[in-house]
Amino acid sequence: GRQSKNIRIKNCRLDNGRRQGISITSADSVFIKDCTISNVSGTNPQYGIDIEPNKNCSVHYVLIENVNVVNCEGGIRATVPNAGVGNASIGTVVIRNCQVSAQSRYPIHLNRCVTGTVKGCTIDATNDRPSLYANYVNNLKVSNNTLNVDVKLFSSIKNKLKDWVGKGSYSVIRVVHGSDKGVRDNKINKR
């Protein structure tokens, strides 16, 4: 919450959350490392990690490293609600060396961040949504990730998209209102 600084969440097992596993609403320098977050379901938004600043609040820097998000409705989300209502803002979000899946929402969703980095992650697509969706991210870097797509979903997606990375709803990595130049060296596996 308000004026939180240098927060460290490490070696936690968070299971069976109704709304979120971890919520970050106003903070500077949050480090989440070596955690497992599972079975988040019940009340929206239902994400393992939800970075969502309150009105007139900001989240300046978040590092999520070596975190497993499994069997949650959504994986990891950083979003400024209602297009920055009340001057809410998100600075830098770094997601590194994580395993992320989602049951019905996006595995990784970045919305209105100044900088978003997703590197060295394994992301399982478990629904008809993109594995990673970035919207209005000024500086986006998505590299060296492995995207596992179910064979049935793979066939369904392949018939609907022109490129694996693009603006289309069925792109495995969807980038809208921003540049996809920082998206490179990602591997897509059928499983």
Side-chain angles (χ1 to χ4, degrees):
R2 289 193 186 269
Q3 300 177 11
S4 296
K5 290 184 180 183
N6 298 317
I7 304 300
R8 286 166 172 50
I9 301 171
K10 189 173 179 182
N11 295 322
C12 294
R13 292 187 60 84
L14 306 170
D15 185 51
N16 204 26
R18 183 179 59 82
R19 183 167 154 75
Q20 271 103 247
I22 297 172
S23 292
I24 303 168
T25 59
S26 178
D28 185 5
S29 300
V30 177
F31 305 94
I32 303 169
K33 188 173 181 180
D34 301 324
C35 295
T36 298
I37 304 168
S38 55
N39 301 307
V40 174
S41 182
T43 300
N44 286 334
Q46 305 177 82
Y47 273 81
I49 298 174
D50 184 37
I51 302 162
E52 187 174 354
N54 292 327
K55 183 177 181 180
N56 297 317
C57 293
S58 59
V59 176
H60 293 287
Y61 181 85
V62 177
L63 171 62
I64 302 166
E65 186 171 42
N66 298 323
V67 171
N68 294 326
V69 178
V70 295
N71 202 35
C72 299
E73 293 303 318
I76 298 171
R77 176 174 90 154
T79 186
V80 175
N82 300 323
V85 68
N87 298 317
S89 66
I90 298 174
T92 298
V93 176
V94 177
I95 303 167
R96 191 166 57 207
N97 300 324
C98 294
Q99 286 214 220
V100 184
S101 65
Q103 297 299 313
S104 64
R105 293 173 176 12
Y106 298 107
I108 297 179
H109 182 196
L110 303 174
N111 179 43
R112 298 186 185 278
C113 304
V114 173
T115 300
T117 300
V118 181
K119 184 175 182 179
C121 294
T122 300
I123 305 167
D124 293 338
T126 52
N127 53 52
D128 278 337
R129 296 179 186 264
S131 296
L132 188 145
Y133 177 28
N135 188 27
Y136 291 104
V137 179
N138 296 341
N139 184 13
L140 180 66
K141 296 174 188 161
V142 179
S143 64
N144 298 75
N145 299 292
T146 300
L147 306 159
N148 295 319
V149 180
D150 182 86
V151 173
K152 290 179 186 176
L153 182 59
F154 188 92
S155 298
S156 171
I157 288 172
K158 192 172 181 182
N159 293 331
K160 296 176 183 174
L161 57 76
K162 294 177 185 170
D163 298 306
W164 291 112
V165 178
K167 296 178 189 238
S169 299
Y170 294 96
S171 298
V172 177
I173 298 174
R174 184 176 185 202
V175 179
V176 181
H177 301 107
S179 173
D180 61 5
K181 290 180 183 176
V183 179
R184 64 180 190 281
D185 301 324
N186 297 289
K187 180 180 179 185
I188 298 171
N189 288 333
K190 291 185 278 186
R191 58 181 171 102

